[in-house]
Amino acid sequence: MRPHLSLDVRDVPRSAAFYERVFDRRPQKQTADYAKFDLDEPGLNLSLVSSTGAISSVNHLGLEVESADEVATWRERLQQAGIAGMVQENIACCFARQDKFWFTDPDGNDWEVFTVHEQLAVTGPLSQTGCCVPKENDVSDAAGCAK
């Protein structure tokens, strides 16, 4: 089984070039208004579709990896590809202790590459846990996070 994600985007060629850098591979199929990435690692079928106006609304997207070393590998590769993002290490978020790296695609979709070190107790509503998606990839700290 492999998840499929289809994103409405403003500019398919621009988004396809961005995701080519993220996944280090070219789309399997591409036209002026459509691109498809068939990925084995991570297992994902990602389609980019020319938007008819509205851009899809999601809180954020993510790739969970097995270790902090894999988060670091993703971070280093994406930074070398010119995709900067905020690093959060040993952070309590979504009732788990995690390491993560954030980046944003050309349409403003926030992505995290993360690993979970341990699950934490559910102690109240998510809005009071300090979890956040960074605003505009504030690489300095989490102060720019949206609640």
Side-chain angles (χ1 to χ4, degrees):
M1 180 169 61
R2 178 175 62 161
H4 168 63
L5 178 63
S6 181
L7 293 177
D8 287 333
V9 300
R10 290 179 185 92
D11 183 332
V12 170
R14 180 177 178 220
S15 292
F18 175 84
Y19 282 106
E20 186 175 326
R21 292 189 341 251
V22 168
F23 296 119
D24 199 26
R25 71 182 306 166
R26 296 182 52 77
Q28 177 199 26
K29 299 176 184 176
Q30 184 172 353
T31 67
D33 61 354
Y34 175 79
K36 178 182 177 188
F37 291 84
D38 274 328
L39 305 170
D40 294 324
E41 186 60 35
L44 177 65
N45 175 331
L46 175 66
S47 297
L48 308 172
V49 180
S50 184
S51 171
T52 57
I55 299 299
S56 301
S57 175
V58 296
N59 180 273
H60 70 277
L61 305 162
L63 301 169
E64 184 174 4
V65 297
E66 295 295 321
S67 69
D69 288 341
E70 285 183 78
V71 172
T73 298
W74 272 89
R75 182 184 74 238
E76 290 167 14
R77 189 175 62 73
L78 292 181
Q79 287 175 334
Q80 288 175 0
I83 301 169
M86 184 176 72
V87 176
Q88 295 177 314
E89 295 177 334
N90 200 31
I91 187 169
C93 182
C94 299
F95 310 109
R97 190 172 57 80
Q98 307 173 30
D99 282 358
K100 58 180 69 185
F101 171 74
W102 291 94
F103 62 94
T104 303
D105 78 6
D107 290 288
N109 293 304
D110 292 305
W111 282 81
E112 64 177 326
V113 177
F114 70 101
T115 191
V116 174
H117 298 295
E118 70 175 314
Q119 297 296 328
L120 302 174
V122 175
T123 56
L126 182 65
S127 62
Q128 295 178 1
T129 65
C131 291
C132 63
V133 175
K135 284 186 180 176
E136 299 178 26
N137 275 333
D138 180 356
V139 296
S140 59
D141 64 10
C145 292
K147 299 288 184 210

